[in-house]
Structure formats: structure tokens, C-alpha cells
Amino acid sequence: MITIDPHGPQSPSVQLQAQLASAIRAGELPAGARLPSVRHLAVDLGLSNGTVAKVYKALEQGGWVQTRRGGGTTVSEGLAVAPSLTAEVEALVHAARRSGVGLDEVVALVASSWRRTGGEEK
Amino acid sequence: MQALVTVASAMLLLAWVAAMVWLLRRVLKASTAPEAAGAAGADAAVRAAWCHEVGRSAAVFWVGLAALLALGVAGLLVQDFHRLLFLAPAGAAAASMLVAAVVPPARTQQSGPAQADLRQRGVLSGTARGGVLLAGCLAAGLAVLAVATGLLSVVDDTTGTWQALPLTRVYPADVTFDDDGMVASAMGVSNASYLIPFPGWNYGVPLLGLLVLSIVLVVIALRRNADRRRWQGEGAEALDSAARELVARVTSLTLGGLLAISAAALLGRIGNSAWGLSGAADPMRFPEMGTDIPQALPGLEPSALMGPAVFLLALAVIVALVAVSCLLLAGAAWVRSRAAVRSAAQGDGLVPVVTGEVVA
């Protein structure tokens, strides 16, 4: 599900691009899946066709999707995070909610754990 | 032959009644299922939009049924009632598809963040694949039969319309008998031509016109259903998808059901002609020497066989189309199950893991 807040701090196109990339990484849009048509996405989100087309173009340039004439826009191979990792992240989110911990705190905890275990912060 | 026609017509009508009853149950079930599924907490605007779509679907169905009955009753009141009765199902299909195409879908006002799901939407999204295949196969079969009967038909001089099938019978011109009453000689040949009622272009052209109109309208209706903006608001997700599916299914199944009656009507007309041809076949074709005329002749004129042959061909085409649609459905189910198995295998960790940068 894509949610665009027209009054959010980021522009609708940035929100859309980030959420589509997240959906691909999470496997919500698996490799080979066709993205919704530009027209339908634009109508549903109240954006112009040009805005959505630009986002699709940016995703294509970043290697996230491929566009074939007559075949629509499909998700590229090998971008999804392992399903087991996604499940563990979901378990973490549920545990955080049960404990009343907010998103910012969870992100900070993950970043701290990342650094402690020798991971590079990007 | 008459029995075959009756059985075939009755089977098609029974199939239609069963489909319509199933459809009606689906409409009723679908109109209450989302409420039961917990969508009762949806925004008032979303619930109103859902009620609008339920009403629109019901209108498509009931307008088709009402038009069928109205045209059937009107057909009994006019002089050329055979033609109007024959065209009533196709006319009803066009009327119901007109309602589906013209009545605007429900919309909700935008308030707060806009949402969209990531599923593809197309003309066939949410339709009952069986209903679409049935409607497509019946439309193709009706078009083929309408053209075939048209090509076989000739102008009926009494009405000036293309609704006659020529039949030529051959008689001996001069027969002599011996003392025992047996045929001694049969000289010369005389032809006698007859015309019998047949669907022909007189029925085929308006039927083809109504078929094309119905197909254009159903494509417009399904396209509008897919293209309409997703409803926004609390509880919109479930009701929006359910409403799209409801409209698509009712529309495609109503068209399939009415075309099934149209096919039955065409088969009935062809069957009547075939029956007429069989009855007109003269048992005394050309007497053989040394035979008694009343017992002379087994056999039918070749032309007399054309009617039953056309009818059986028509029946075979319809049966083959239904069989093909069943095979296509089974094939599609098999492909889906294979895809599901493959997807499940990938879900077990067989998907390659590659890191990637989020394009921002």
C-alpha cells in the first residue's frame, strides 16, 4: 500500500519513490511483478501522470525496475531482502509496539546495534 | 430432431437459470459480506459508495432481465413477432451493458493522505473468468452461426427478406407402370423448388449488430470500473476491492447469461428450419424400375439433409466452444497452481539476496 501525504515534509514524488523502493526490498513487489500503470497510480494518489512517470523513470535508472514496450514496468531480479530477515524485522516491530517503544527509538537501537557489531553506517 | 432441439434448448435455458440464480445469490452475498467482514466501521462516504456500486450492479442484472421480458412481451404484440422474440436476448444484453457503461461509478472525496495499492488493474481484473470465457465463446459462436446461416439464405419472394433456405426436389416427369402396377419406365426429370423459413441475414444482421454493441459496451463498462479512482478513507481498502469485483462479475456474468439465451434462440430457429426440411423431404425421389412407387424409395434428397446438418453443426459449434472454455479455465487454474508452487519454493529462501541502494 502506498500512502502519499500532500502536506508532508517531502514532495509526493520523493515519498512515492521511497515507498516503491521499500515495497521492492520487502518483497511486497516481487521480481518480475508488474507495477500499477502510471495512469491508475496517478489517479489513485491524486498526482499528475508526469509525476508518476518521472518516478518510474528514476527507479528504472536506479536499476529497480525495467520497462519494456508493451510489457509495462516490471520489478528487476534480485532486489528483495531475504524473507526470513523481513519476518525478523516484523517480529522486532511487534515487540517494540508491545513494549511501547516508538519508531525513532527502534531505529536508534538498530543503528546502535549495527555499530556495536562492526557494521558500517551508511 | 424436434426432441433434440427441445433438449438442447432446455439445457441451455436451465444453464442460464442456474447461472442467474447463482449470480443473484452472489449479489446478495456480496452486498452483505464486507459488513460481516468488519467493514462496518468504514467512513459513511465509503459505505455510501459501496451501496452505490451494489445498486449499480443490481441495476445491470435487473435491467437485463426486465428488457428480456419486455422485448419478449412486445414481440408477441407485433406482426413480425418471430424476429423480435429471437432478438430479445441480444437486445436485453445490449440494454444491460448500456446501464453498466453509462451509470457513473461511485467516488469519494479526498480527505487526508491518498492511498493506492500495488495491484495491477485491467479490463479483466475481478471478472469471473468462467463468465468472461462463456460470454466470449458464445459471442464468437453466435457470430459464426449468424454469418453461416446468412450465407446459406436466399431472399424470400413473399417478404423480400433474406430468411429463406432453398430446397429442390426432383420428380420423374413421365412414369409408366406395367400390369402389376410396377414401374416400367421413368422418363425425364422435373425440378420443384421450395423455400422454407430460415434465420438468414434477416435475423443475422441485427444479431451481429447487437453483439458488437454489447461487446463494445461491456469493454467500456469494465474499463471504467478498473479506471475509477480508488476510494479514500477509513475502511476503503476492503470495500473498494470488493466493489470492483462485484461490478466486474455481475457485468460479465449477466452478459454471458443473456448470450446463452440468444444462442438457445438461434439454435431453436435453425432447429425449426431443420425440422421443416426433414418434413418436406419427399420419400418418392426417383422410382427405380420394377418397384412399386409407394414402396419405392427409401432415402431423402441430399438437400433435405442440409437442414439437420446445419443444426447439428450449430450444436457442435456451441458444445465445442463451451468445452474449449472449460479447457481454458482448467489450463489457467493449472498455470496458477504451478505459479503458486514456484512462488512457495521461492518463499523458502530460494530468492537471491542482493543489496541495493534506495534511489532517493
Side-chain angles (χ1 to χ4, degrees):
Chain A
M1 183 65 70
I2 302 285
T3 304
I4 301 293
D5 184 357
H7 308 298
Q10 294 176 309
S11 70
S13 61
V14 171
Q15 293 179 52
L16 177 59
Q17 190 170 330
Q19 288 185 47
L20 284 172
S22 295
I24 293 170
R25 291 284 283 160
E28 195 180 338
L29 279 171
R34 282 181 69 171
L35 266 60
S37 71
V38 168
R39 194 160 46 96
H40 285 159
L41 206 52
V43 165
D44 287 353
L45 296 174
L47 304 174
S48 70
N49 286 354
T51 301
V52 178
K54 273 182 195 167
V55 169
Y56 277 24
K57 191 75 184 167
L59 287 170
E60 188 182 357
Q61 286 168 350
W64 292 88
V65 298
Q66 296 169 327
T67 302
R68 285 195 212 97
R69 189 174 291 277
T73 303
T74 55
V75 177
S76 301
E77 295 282 338
L79 294 170
V81 175
S84 56
L85 181 58
T86 307
E88 286 179 25
V89 170
E90 281 182 7
L92 171 67
V93 169
H94 285 305
R97 281 201 174 126
R98 276 198 304 273
S99 307
V101 178
L103 176 61
D104 292 342
E105 291 172 274
V106 172
V107 171
L109 276 171
V110 170
S112 168
S113 175
W114 189 273
R115 282 192 295 271
R116 263 203 324 276
T117 53
E120 290 180 19
E121 194 173 354
K122 264 188 167 180
Chain B
M1 182 59 68
Q2 191 79 35
L4 193 60
V5 173
T6 307
V7 168
S9 304
M11 282 175 67
L12 277 170
L13 277 172
L14 274 176
W16 180 79
V17 169
M20 290 298 105
V21 169
W22 180 81
L23 188 66
L24 191 57
R25 284 186 61 192
R26 218 187 146 71
V27 169
L28 293 172
K29 190 177 167 190
S31 63
T32 55
E35 306 290 335
D43 282 353
V46 174
R47 281 213 305 276
W50 164 254
C51 290
H52 175 93
E53 291 300 281
V54 170
R56 200 160 73 93
S57 305
V60 169
F61 174 77
W62 288 115
V63 164
L65 208 57
L68 181 68
L69 291 174
L71 287 170
V73 170
L76 296 174
L77 304 177
V78 299
Q79 194 176 6
D80 190 11
F81 67 96
H82 279 304
R83 191 156 172 253
L84 196 52
L85 279 177
F86 170 79
L87 294 172
S96 66
M97 292 306 106
L98 184 66
V99 171
V102 168
V103 177
R107 298 173 67 93
T108 56
Q109 292 296 320
Q110 173 71 41
S111 59
Q115 289 191 317
D117 63 34
L118 295 170
R119 278 173 294 188
Q120 272 276 332
R121 299 203 301 263
V123 171
L124 295 179
S125 300
T127 52
R129 293 299 154 105
V132 171
L133 276 172
L134 179 71
C137 288
L138 285 171
L142 279 169
V144 167
L145 288 178
V147 171
T149 54
L151 291 173
L152 284 172
S153 66
V154 296
V155 175
D156 182 353
D157 291 334
T158 56
T159 60
T161 54
W162 289 81
Q163 61 173 64
L165 188 65
L167 167 67
T168 302
R169 288 191 290 184
V170 182
Y171 290 96
D174 186 11
V175 182
T176 59
F177 301 92
D178 59 18
D179 295 339
D180 298 328
M182 298 294 166
V183 175
S185 66
M187 303 290 289
V189 168
S190 72
N191 292 329
S193 295
Y194 298 86
L195 295 174
I196 64 161
F198 192 65
W201 290 124
N202 192 39
Y203 289 74
V205 168
L207 176 64
L208 285 171
L210 288 169
L211 271 180
V212 170
L213 182 63
S214 299
I215 290 168
V216 168
L217 288 172
V218 76
V219 170
I220 291 173
L222 293 176
R223 170 58 65 192
R224 286 190 82 183
N225 186 46
D227 285 353
R228 76 163 168 78
R229 189 180 185 195
R230 186 184 179 283
W231 297 338
Q232 307 289 331
E234 190 70 32
E237 187 177 355
L239 288 179
D240 182 86
S241 302
R244 274 187 222 278
E245 190 175 309
L246 175 71
V247 170
R249 284 185 177 233
V250 170
T251 305
S252 56
L253 284 168
T254 301
L255 180 62
L258 289 168
L259 289 184
I261 299 193
S262 205
L266 182 56
L267 281 178
R269 284 301 298 171
I270 295 173
N272 276 344
S273 304
W275 185 250
L277 265 177
S278 302
D282 193 341
M284 297 196 304
R285 190 175 52 182
F286 200 91
E288 295 175 13
M289 300 305 111
T291 57
D292 184 3
I293 286 181
Q295 302 168 358
L297 248 203
L300 299 167
E301 302 267 344
S303 58
L305 292 173
M306 189 162 52
V310 168
F311 172 71
L312 289 175
L313 183 66
L315 196 61
V317 167
I318 296 289
V319 169
L321 287 170
V322 172
V324 165
S325 67
C326 290
L327 281 174
L328 286 173
L329 273 178
W334 182 78
V335 168
R336 275 200 301 274
S337 68
R338 293 274 300 172
V341 168
R342 203 174 300 127
S343 172
Q346 287 176 341
D348 288 339
L350 300 178
V351 177
V353 179
V354 178
T355 55
E357 294 292 326
V358 174
V359 188

